[in-house]
Amino acid sequence: MKQFQYIRAANQKAAISSLTKSTSAQFIAGGTNLIDLMKRGITSPDTIIDINSLPLRHRIVCRRSKNWCTCTQ
Amino acid sequence: MSDKNNESIPEKECKNVNESRRDFLKQTSLLTGLALTPAAVLKAAEDKWDEDFASSLEKVPLKLEINEVQKRISVEPRVTLLDLLREQIGLTGTKKGCDYGQCGACTVHVDGKRVLSCLSLAIMHQGQKVTTIEGLANGENLHPMQEAFIKHDGFQCGYCTPGQIMSAVACIREGHANSEAEVREYMSGNICRCGAYPNIVDAIMEVKEGGHHI
């Protein structure tokens, strides 16, 4: 697995701004769809943004196109 | 020949050559130092992010409670919980089967929930409680699920067993062991190549019906 920068997002805004700062940043929650691909070298994000500590359990709408993700709660 | 050359260069000029060589060395070592500084560190320093960031080329301090023992370790962000447990902590009871989340051999409990440690970065579990197969027994007394697996012969080669037992305990705690069919469904993430499934289900049903506090 290639090295990456790990960021534990403090809040939603910070998470989204971290995502937009890099072209290959990825959110991580469970990791089951990301870490196996990283191990195989299929994807190698330079930044991993951990969103586990964010209060996203209630409702989240995520629209994603290219590397843009807009989330509303 | 060389004597002649030395004589031909004035002393002052020689001094200048020496100085410039020293300057050159100073400059190059400074530049090398700058070039070797991880880009991520420089970038993070520039941006002054308020998040808890970890530089990509450095080990990160990690606090974990593993089997009720507090551990302070430093890990690279890319190290999975499984590799941390097996290679850094030395708890090799948790098995690496497929390493891609397909087999369930690496199942551990994190804060009481079952987690595939091979698909989980160690750094994501800052401050959490991890229980492995080694932490299940109470001293010399085996956990009721371990006893039941032995009694019902819930394994042949035993490679999947640590994961099976961790999953089985969580399965009962979650309240998903009310029928054989339900047990099979909620244990479906744990693959047994030897095909000990009927015995595994028997073991789980016995522990469930035995009313043990697990």
Side-chain angles (χ1 to χ4, degrees), chain B residues 91-103:
Chain B
L91 294 174
T92 51
T94 308
K95 300 300 179 205
K96 185 183 265 193
C98 65
D99 205 21
Y100 290 99
Q102 312 271 307
C103 72

Side-chain angles (χ1 to χ4, degrees), chain A residues 17-65:
Chain A
S17 78
S18 304
L19 188 76
T20 55
K21 273 178 191 159
S22 156
T23 49
S24 66
Q26 290 273 352
F27 285 141
I28 193 164
T32 51
N33 289 326
L34 183 61
I35 294 181
D36 49 354
L37 296 180
M38 287 165 68
K39 281 182 183 172
R40 291 269 184 193
I42 295 167
T43 180
S44 46
D46 62 356
T47 309
I48 292 280
I49 306 152
D50 188 348
I51 54 167
N52 279 298
S53 57
L54 301 186
L56 303 174
R57 309 262 170 204
H58 312 295
R59 183 170 153 261
I60 183 160
V61 183
C62 212
R63 282 185 218 93
R64 196 177 175 112
S65 62

Side-chain angles (χ1 to χ4, degrees), chain A residues 1 3 6 8 21 39, chain B residues 49 52 54 76 78 99 118:
Chain A
M1 199 190 293
Q3 275 290 19
Y6 173 84
R8 189 175 296 116
K21 273 178 191 159
K39 281 182 183 172
Chain B
W49 292 342
D52 177 10
E76 284 183 20
R78 62 179 167 176
D99 205 21
C118 75

Side-chain angles (χ1 to χ4, degrees), chain B residues 14-210:
Chain B
C14 276
K15 211 178 174 186
N16 281 343
V17 167
N18 282 340
E19 272 176 6
S20 66
R21 184 179 295 152
R22 197 168 295 144
D23 287 345
F24 173 74
L25 284 172
K26 274 184 195 164
Q27 280 170 5
T28 47
S29 52
L30 189 69
L31 285 172
T32 316
L34 268 175
L36 287 176
T37 312
V41 172
L42 290 175
K43 196 166 186 298
E46 278 171 17
D47 294 344
K48 287 184 182 134
W49 292 342
D50 55 347
E51 295 100 339
D52 177 10
F53 77 91
S55 141
S56 64
L57 292 175
E58 279 177 8
K59 286 194 170 184
V60 182
L62 177 65
K63 211 172 100 181
L64 272 181
E65 188 181 318
I66 300 171
N67 297 335
E68 297 181 353
V69 179
Q70 289 285 348
K71 299 266 184 190
R72 284 172 185 275
I73 333 147
S74 58
V75 290
E76 284 183 20
R78 62 179 167 176
V79 170
T80 60
L81 182 59
L82 176 64
D83 287 340
L84 175 84
L85 289 171
R86 289 183 59 87
E87 285 164 31
Q88 268 181 264
I89 311 285
L91 294 174
T92 51
T94 308
K95 300 300 179 205
K96 185 183 265 193
C98 65
D99 205 21
Y100 290 99
Q102 312 271 307
C103 72
C106 65
T107 309
V108 297
H109 295 171
V110 176
D111 281 349
K113 285 185 180 168
R114 44 179 159 171
V115 162
L116 294 175
S117 59
C118 75
L119 286 186
S120 193
L121 299 171
I123 196 174
M124 288 164 63
H125 300 294
Q126 186 76 264
Q128 294 183 316
K129 288 180 185 176
V130 179
T131 309
T132 69
I133 189 75
E134 288 95 340
L136 217 51
N138 181 15
E140 290 293 301
N141 300 320
L142 290 181
H143 186 277
M145 189 63 76
Q146 291 172 311
E147 299 268 18
F149 264 68
I150 294 167
K151 184 182 164 193
H152 289 275
D153 217 8
F155 49 82
Q156 275 183 44
C157 80
Y159 199 82
C160 71
T161 310
Q164 296 278 5
I165 291 178
M166 296 313 284
S167 245
V169 170
C171 185
I172 293 182
R173 285 183 185 161
E174 290 160 11
H176 291 140
N178 299 310
S179 67
E180 276 198 29
E182 199 180 10
V183 167
R184 281 179 181 272
E185 174 63 27
Y186 281 89
M187 289 295 289
S188 61
N190 290 76
I191 309 292
C192 170
R193 192 180 64 167
C194 307
Y197 299 113
N199 300 352
I200 293 172
V201 174
D202 286 351
I204 297 172
M205 292 311 287
E206 188 192 90
V207 176
K208 164 75 179 163
E209 282 155 15

